[in-house]
Amino acid sequence: MRIVLITGISGSGKSVALNVLEDTGHYCVDNLPPALLSNLVDTLTAEGLQSLAVAVDARSAESLATLPGNVQRLREQGHDVKVMFLTANTHSLVARFSETRRSHPLSHELRPGQNPAGRRTLIECIMEERERLSPIEKLGHVIDTSELSANKLRAWVKDLVAIEGAPLTLFFESFAFKLGVPMDADFVFDVRALPNPYYDLTLRPLTGMDAPVVDFLDAQPSAGEMLNDIRSFVEKWLPAFKSDNRSYLTVALGCTGGQHRSVYMAEKLAAHFSAAERVVLRHREQ
């Protein structure tokens, strides 16, 4: 069975991701206690279902500790298990809860010895949830949704689910430093030292995927040198990450606006590594 496990911080887009998977034919279960995961898989396998998506959150605090073991057992049984951990920075989470006027799931919990008037604030709920989920954050691929629209998150989830058969997937992601560094990045490279096409008025409205911008940066010796350095670094260390049984490795390239230089570098690197590796290319600001 193909199983997609969605977990992460409340307000980071788990419902959006689960809806995407439901639309693609997965049998979906929301807020499942991790201790029940194995029984659910056994039941649905016996019924002949092929695709399952399950959302797990911090409300299942007592059984969260069983999740890594359950995932490992399911993989040993031959199931294809993908884990997505969605997160976002606290500022974005507070804004989302404010916009939707929803309460945080942990706000209804009472701490030991606490009276109802002393419930957690929203910030305290977010901090508590991060602490509870920290042991399972590295079970799978982390997606930082802080600066993502719902449509872009839907596209990224579809890309991730489509991946199959590769021991490790390389993600190349462009981003804008002015909007924050992606929290899901394993390596971050700053390409702001390169000449900026933004200052050429004919190139300003274009992106690093457009031929005039590509030609401009191809003509810069520093761009070629930096590209070779980053490529050599990834090539050198990629075998070590494979031998460490990593499933995903995210390399983020950042420039000021996430439009020209970072997009150019991500495109070049993805084209190079796609010849031999499973590669996913993402442009956060495009």
Side-chain angles (χ1 to χ4, degrees), residues 36-258:
L36 301 180
L37 180 60
S38 294
N39 290 337
L40 175 65
V41 171
D42 290 343
T43 299
L44 296 181
T45 299
E47 294 180 359
L49 271 76
Q50 299 297 315
S51 301
L52 169 66
V54 177
V56 174
D57 61 34
R59 286 174 288 184
S60 305
E62 294 183 0
S63 60
L64 273 175
T66 68
L67 190 58
N70 283 337
V71 169
Q72 181 61 31
R73 281 191 293 273
L74 289 172
R75 286 172 173 163
E76 290 172 353
Q77 292 167 7
H79 298 288
D80 176 14
V81 184
K82 290 185 174 66
V83 182
M84 280 184 270
F85 188 98
L86 276 59
T87 187
N89 60 49
T90 300
H91 175 78
S92 296
L93 294 173
V94 170
R96 291 171 188 175
F97 277 105
S98 176
E99 289 169 2
T100 61
R101 299 187 178 182
R102 294 181 56 199
S103 58
H104 193 283
L106 299 188
S107 65
H108 305 289
E109 290 186 2
L110 290 179
R111 287 170 283 190
Q114 183 185 45
N115 63 61
R119 296 184 186 275
R120 295 184 181 93
T121 65
L122 176 56
I123 299 294
E124 289 173 336
C125 288
I126 294 171
M127 292 174 62
E128 171 67 19
E129 188 172 35
R130 290 194 195 281
E131 184 175 347
R132 289 187 187 183
L133 295 175
S134 59
I136 64 173
E137 183 173 355
K138 295 303 181 183
L139 276 181
H141 181 58
V142 180
I143 301 178
D144 177 7
T145 69
S146 302
E147 302 297 333
L148 293 187
S149 66
N151 283 337
K152 186 159 290 187
L153 175 58
R154 292 186 187 101
W156 286 19
V157 170
K158 289 178 182 177
D159 286 343
L160 186 60
V161 173
I163 296 168
E164 56 184 56
L168 182 143
T169 301
L170 263 174
F171 289 83
F172 290 103
E173 178 179 347
S174 68
F175 71 95
F177 272 101
K178 68 180 183 181
L179 296 178
V181 177
M183 292 190 293
D184 52 8
D186 295 296
F187 293 107
V188 176
F189 292 97
D190 184 348
V191 301
R192 289 176 292 186
L194 301 179
N196 194 350
Y198 177 86
Y199 295 110
D200 184 326
L201 295 181
T202 62
L203 301 180
R204 182 174 295 182
L206 305 179
T207 76
M209 292 178 281
D210 293 313
V213 175
V214 173
D215 292 341
F216 172 86
L217 289 169
D218 278 347
Q220 310 299 322
S222 57
E225 292 174 12
M226 184 175 287
L227 179 62
N228 287 332
D229 287 345
I230 296 173
R231 187 165 55 208
S232 297
F233 177 88
V234 176
E235 287 176 340
K236 177 180 179 179
W237 291 104
L238 190 56
F241 283 96
K242 287 181 177 179
S243 65
D244 194 39
N245 296 318
R246 290 283 294 270
S247 298
Y248 309 100
L249 184 69
T250 300
V251 180
L253 297 308
C255 64
T256 305

Side-chain angles (χ1 to χ4, degrees), residues 2-4 18 20-28 51-53 161:
R2 298 187 66 192
I3 303 167
V4 182
L18 198 63
V20 170
L21 295 171
E22 187 173 28
D23 291 343
T24 58
H26 289 71
Y27 183 96
C28 295
S51 301
L52 169 66
V161 173

